[in-house]
Amino acid sequence: AVRHPDPIPRPTAVFPSGGQPGEEVELTYLGDPAGPQKVKTKLSTQNGVMNVHLEQNGHISPSANRLRVMRFPSINEQEPNDDAKQCTAAPKPAPVAFNGIVSKERDRDWFSFEAKKGQNINVWVHARTLGSPLDPTVLILDPKGKSVFRNDDGFGLDSRGQFRAPRDGRYLMRVRDHLYKGGEDMVYRVEIRVVGAGLSLIRPPVRRNDSQ
């Protein structure tokens, strides 16, 4: 007898890796043996991580794919963007997010965004936090081409950190895999924010000490 393939979809990633609350986006599910599947999806109305499942022929993927929902513009990479001259540019200053895929070996994705002198810029590359196999590294150059930020493992294997913009102008950003690997499901999302002064209070969990 001929054995039929498993009809249950099992995508390993979804692109883009995020968007704005309440908007409808066309998600592409990647990594399934049946090939990429495009599905229009309305995103959550709340900031945070959203779980999505691919439904196909009456079957639903057993494991969720994750994406980020945040209240600021989200831009998908435009190929080719393998060098600084072909970078995907944000039309407006931060906050802004870039969604991309390191799709082949030695792939390097370039982006650009505006910043003003003295701004504290927070950079977070979401990859492993979304289930991606990518081990991202990020490099940012100021308008004069000088490196102002470089990070590999700032939050687990994901890149995260902050720098103070030394001058007004357009900053270049490069994202790649730490070992120069690539693949169709090596998705990521870079969130760039301007950070101001603030105060936060964190209460550590004490449930283990509860007696009732």
Side-chain angles (χ1 to χ4, degrees), residues 154-169:
F155 186 85
L157 291 180
D158 284 349
S159 302
R160 185 181 184 183
Q162 189 170 305
F163 71 95
R164 191 176 182 86
R167 52 184 55 87
D168 293 351

Side-chain angles (χ1 to χ4, degrees), residues 25-189:
V25 297
E26 184 176 70
L27 299 178
T28 301
Y29 289 86
L30 304 166
D32 187 81
Q37 305 291 323
K38 295 183 181 294
V39 179
K40 288 187 177 181
T41 303
K42 188 171 183 179
L43 300 185
S44 168
T45 57
Q46 301 296 321
N47 285 344
V49 175
M50 178 180 176
N51 292 328
V52 292
H53 294 262
L54 174 61
E55 183 175 355
Q56 189 178 46
N57 300 323
H59 299 280
I60 299 177
S61 56
S63 299
N65 297 109
R66 300 194 295 274
L67 53 82
R68 295 270 298 175
V69 180
M70 298 302 295
R71 297 184 187 280
F72 47 76
S74 183
I75 299 170
N76 297 337
E77 69 168 323
Q78 299 296 317
E79 294 283 5
N81 66 338
D82 298 335
D83 58 56
K85 294 181 180 179
Q86 297 175 310
C87 66
T88 299
K92 296 182 179 181
V96 65
F98 295 101
N99 301 306
I101 308 175
V102 177
S103 58
K104 58 184 182 296
E105 288 189 6
R106 306 199 72 81
D107 188 14
R108 304 179 184 188
D109 293 342
W110 285 87
F111 304 90
S112 71
F113 61 92
E114 293 281 347
K116 293 185 178 297
K117 181 178 179 179
Q119 287 182 326
N120 293 313
I121 308 295
N122 182 273
V123 182
W124 191 346
V125 185
H126 295 271
R128 294 302 176 94
T129 51
L130 298 178
S132 173
L134 179 69
D135 180 3
T137 69
V138 61
L139 167 70
I140 295 180
L141 307 176
D142 73 5
K144 291 188 175 182
K146 181 180 179 181
S147 173
V148 293
F149 179 81
R150 184 190 297 266
N151 185 264
D152 179 14
D153 299 333
F155 186 85
L157 291 180
D158 284 349
S159 302
R160 185 181 184 183
Q162 189 170 305
F163 71 95
R164 191 176 182 86
R167 52 184 55 87
D168 293 351
R170 184 160 288 273
Y171 288 70
L172 288 169
M173 178 176 67
R174 185 197 68 196
V175 179
R176 65 169 176 84
D177 181 73
H178 177 68
L179 297 178
Y180 293 96
K181 295 180 179 181
E184 70 164 344
D185 63 348
M186 295 180 71
V187 300
Y188 63 89
R189 175 179 171 86

